[in-house]
């Protein structure tokens, strides 16, 4: 179990996370965001307890993404399979997520909702992952956003499988701090 707490003048976020069965208890005070985070945890196979409060929706969602990304980065196995890709259909939406958990940040979207786009970027930056998210189809913003969180979760689940070997020609994907 990894616990990360982020407290600023604007927000307080507590995340407890571990590789598991996808059981989530999320309370940010924002029902749709809670639903997206719980969906992400379920599809990623992460047991997640997350509690957050903040002054503004933007500050709260950004700090949750930062804290969750930091926590996810800490539970990625050193010998993770590294890559994951999933395409998820949800009613009118079709969304693809391709991820590399090798410790380098890059994000390419976009999601149509600027705030959820910012959440994805902040999550990826702090999880130190590369994510390409493609909206292949969809008009309903709810369905597109939810399909994106599901695709991200399932791609991350695949990438985090402990393969027992390091998938890198460099011999390591972990950053060692001395």
């Amino acid at each position: 179990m990894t616990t990360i707490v982020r407290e600023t003048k604007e927000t307080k976020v507590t995340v407890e996370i571990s590789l598991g069965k996808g059981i989530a208890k999320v309370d940010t005070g924002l029902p749709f965001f809670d639903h997206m985070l719980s969906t992400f945890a379920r599809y990623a196979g992460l047991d997640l307890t997350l509690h957050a409060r903040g002054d503004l929706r933007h500050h709260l969602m950004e700090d949750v993404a930062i804290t969750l990304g930091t926590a996810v980065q800490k539970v990625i196995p050193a010998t993770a399979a590294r890559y994951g890709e999933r395409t998820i259909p949800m009613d009118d939406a079709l969304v693809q997520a391709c991820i590399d958990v090798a410790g380098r940040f890059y994000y390419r979207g976009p999601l149509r909702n600027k705030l959820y786009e910012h959440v994805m970027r902040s999550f990826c930056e702090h999880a130190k992952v590369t994510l390409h998210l493609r909206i292949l189809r969809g008009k309903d913003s709810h369905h597109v956003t939810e399909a994106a969180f599901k695709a991200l979760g399932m791609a991350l689940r695949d990438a985090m499988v402990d393969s027992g070997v390091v998938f890198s020609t460099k011999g390591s994907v972990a950053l060692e701090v001395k």
Side-chain angles (χ1 to χ4, degrees):
M1 173 77 64
T2 296
T3 302
I4 305 290
V5 177
R6 177 178 173 85
E7 191 165 358
T8 70
K9 291 180 183 179
E10 301 161 339
T11 64
K12 181 170 183 183
V13 181
T14 303
V15 171
E16 294 178 354
I17 195 168
S18 61
L19 299 176
K21 297 179 180 177
I23 299 166
K25 287 177 47 180
V26 176
D27 179 19
T28 66
L30 303 171
F32 184 70
F33 192 41
D34 291 353
H35 177 46
M36 293 303 95
L37 295 170
S38 297
T39 297
F40 163 75
R42 169 95 172 122
Y43 283 75
L46 296 169
D47 291 342
L48 172 68
T49 301
L50 188 152
H51 181 79
R53 288 296 182 263
D55 60 350
L56 301 174
R57 176 183 294 265
H58 177 93
H59 294 156
L60 178 68
M61 291 175 72
E62 177 181 46
D63 283 3
V64 165
I66 288 169
T67 310
L68 181 59
T70 301
V72 165
Q73 192 273 328
K74 297 205 179 290
V75 299
I76 296 171
T79 54
R82 184 173 170 181
Y83 300 105
E85 183 278 329
R86 289 297 180 106
T87 303
I88 300 296
M90 185 172 174
D91 298 335
D92 69 312
L94 184 63
V95 180
Q96 179 187 42
C98 301
I99 196 166
D100 176 2
V101 299
R104 290 188 302 261
F105 160 64
Y106 182 82
Y107 171 74
R108 180 74 185 256
L111 281 174
R112 293 184 186 126
N113 179 298
K114 288 182 183 179
L115 191 50
Y116 279 94
E117 172 72 2
H118 186 59
V119 164
M120 285 290 183
R121 181 176 304 283
S122 296
F123 170 81
C124 290
E125 180 177 358
H126 292 273
K128 299 178 183 168
V129 299
T130 294
L131 175 66
H132 291 262
L133 194 60
R134 294 188 332 155
I135 312 307
L136 302 170
R137 290 194 180 88
K139 293 182 181 180
D140 184 301
S141 180
H142 176 115
H143 294 154
V144 169
T145 302
E146 188 165 349
F149 275 85
K150 288 177 177 179
L152 170 60
M154 292 193 80
L156 182 63
R157 177 190 288 247
D158 291 348
M160 288 192 307
V161 169
D162 194 339
S163 67
V165 298
V166 175
F167 283 103
S168 172
T169 56
K170 297 176 183 180
S172 174
V173 295
L175 178 63
E176 187 177 328
V177 179
K178 292 184 179 186

